[in-house]
Amino acid sequence: MENVIQLMPSKWVSESVLQTITGLKGNTIKKARTECWMEGREYKHVSADGIPFDNSQCFYDWKLVEKWIGSLPAAIPRRKSA
Protein backbone atom coordinates (compact mmCIF):
# COMPACT_ATOMS: atom_id res chain seq x y z
CA MET A 1 0.00 0.00 0.00
CA GLU A 2 1.32 3.44 -0.95
CA ASN A 3 1.52 6.34 1.46
CA VAL A 4 -0.29 9.45 0.29
CA ILE A 5 0.88 12.83 1.52
CA GLN A 6 -1.45 15.77 1.11
CA LEU A 7 0.11 19.20 1.39
CA MET A 8 -1.59 22.57 1.67
CA PRO A 9 0.37 25.15 -0.31
CA SER A 10 1.61 28.19 1.56
CA LYS A 11 0.62 31.69 0.43
CA TRP A 12 3.66 31.99 -1.86
CA VAL A 13 4.38 29.05 -4.18
CA SER A 14 6.94 28.28 -6.87
CA GLU A 15 6.01 28.34 -10.55
CA SER A 16 5.85 24.55 -10.74
CA VAL A 17 3.38 24.42 -7.83
CA LEU A 18 1.36 27.26 -9.38
CA GLN A 19 1.15 25.29 -12.63
CA THR A 20 0.00 22.20 -10.73
CA ILE A 21 -2.74 23.88 -8.70
CA THR A 22 -4.07 26.25 -11.40
CA GLY A 23 -3.36 24.45 -14.66
CA LEU A 24 -1.65 27.52 -16.12
CA LYS A 25 1.23 26.88 -18.51
CA GLY A 26 4.67 28.46 -18.17
CA ASN A 27 4.24 30.86 -21.10
CA THR A 28 0.86 32.03 -19.77
CA ILE A 29 2.43 32.74 -16.38
CA LYS A 30 5.31 34.63 -17.98
CA LYS A 31 2.97 36.77 -20.11
CA ALA A 32 0.67 37.50 -17.16
CA ARG A 33 3.70 38.45 -15.06
CA THR A 34 4.88 40.96 -17.67
CA GLU A 35 1.49 42.34 -18.75
CA CYS A 36 -1.08 41.86 -15.96
CA TRP A 37 0.34 41.08 -12.56
CA MET A 38 2.05 43.46 -10.18
CA GLU A 39 5.35 42.53 -8.57
CA GLY A 40 4.86 42.37 -4.83
CA ARG A 41 1.17 41.52 -5.20
CA GLU A 42 0.66 38.48 -7.46
CA TYR A 43 4.36 37.55 -7.65
CA LYS A 44 7.75 38.31 -6.09
CA HIS A 45 11.27 37.91 -7.44
CA VAL A 46 13.39 36.37 -4.71
CA SER A 47 17.09 35.89 -4.03
CA ALA A 48 19.20 35.08 -1.02
CA ASP A 49 20.75 38.55 -0.87
CA GLY A 50 17.45 40.38 -1.44
CA ILE A 51 18.59 41.80 -4.79
CA PRO A 52 17.11 39.51 -7.46
CA PHE A 53 18.22 39.45 -11.08
CA ASP A 54 15.74 39.22 -13.98
CA ASN A 55 16.30 35.46 -14.09
CA SER A 56 15.87 34.94 -10.31
CA GLN A 57 13.15 32.61 -9.13
CA CYS A 58 9.65 34.00 -8.72
CA PHE A 59 7.08 33.02 -6.13
CA TYR A 60 3.36 33.53 -6.65
CA ASP A 61 0.39 34.29 -4.39
CA TRP A 62 -1.78 31.49 -5.74
CA LYS A 63 -4.98 32.81 -4.17
CA LEU A 64 -4.62 36.15 -5.98
CA VAL A 65 -3.78 34.32 -9.20
CA GLU A 66 -6.98 32.26 -8.83
CA LYS A 67 -8.91 35.48 -8.22
CA TRP A 68 -7.36 36.94 -11.40
CA ILE A 69 -8.38 33.85 -13.39
CA GLY A 70 -11.94 34.21 -12.07
CA SER A 71 -12.06 37.86 -13.14
CA LEU A 72 -11.19 37.13 -16.77
CA PRO A 73 -14.07 37.54 -19.24
CA ALA A 74 -15.61 34.46 -20.83
CA ALA A 75 -13.93 33.38 -24.04
CA ILE A 76 -15.54 34.45 -27.29
CA PRO A 77 -16.63 31.38 -29.27
CA ARG A 78 -14.46 30.99 -32.34
CA ARG A 79 -15.77 30.21 -35.75
CA LYS A 80 -14.89 26.67 -36.76
CA SER A 81 -13.38 26.13 -40.18
CA ALA A 82 -14.18 23.18 -42.35
Side-chain angles (χ1 to χ4, degrees), residues 22 24 37 62-75:
T22 64
L24 293 172
W37 298 342
W62 65 274
K63 290 183 180 183
L64 286 180
V65 171
E66 282 189 336
K67 188 175 180 180
W68 172 78
I69 293 169
S71 73
L72 294 174

Side-chain angles (χ1 to χ4, degrees), residues 3-24:
N3 291 332
V4 176
I5 299 173
Q6 184 174 352
L7 299 175
M8 179 64 180
S10 66
K11 178 178 179 174
W12 296 98
V13 297
S14 66
E15 187 169 321
S16 63
V17 173
L18 184 68
Q19 289 177 345
T20 301
I21 61 180
T22 64
L24 293 172

Side-chain angles (χ1 to χ4, degrees), residues 31-75:
K31 188 167 185 170
R33 195 174 60 232
T34 59
E35 296 183 11
C36 302
W37 298 342
M38 183 183 297
E39 186 169 0
R41 187 176 61 193
E42 284 90 0
Y43 76 99
K44 290 184 180 184
H45 269 105
V46 297
S47 68
D49 62 1
I51 307 169
F53 292 103
D54 289 341
N55 64 348
S56 294
Q57 185 175 7
C58 288
F59 281 87
Y60 303 87
D61 184 332
W62 65 274
K63 290 183 180 183
L64 286 180
V65 171
E66 282 189 336
K67 188 175 180 180
W68 172 78
I69 293 169
S71 73
L72 294 174

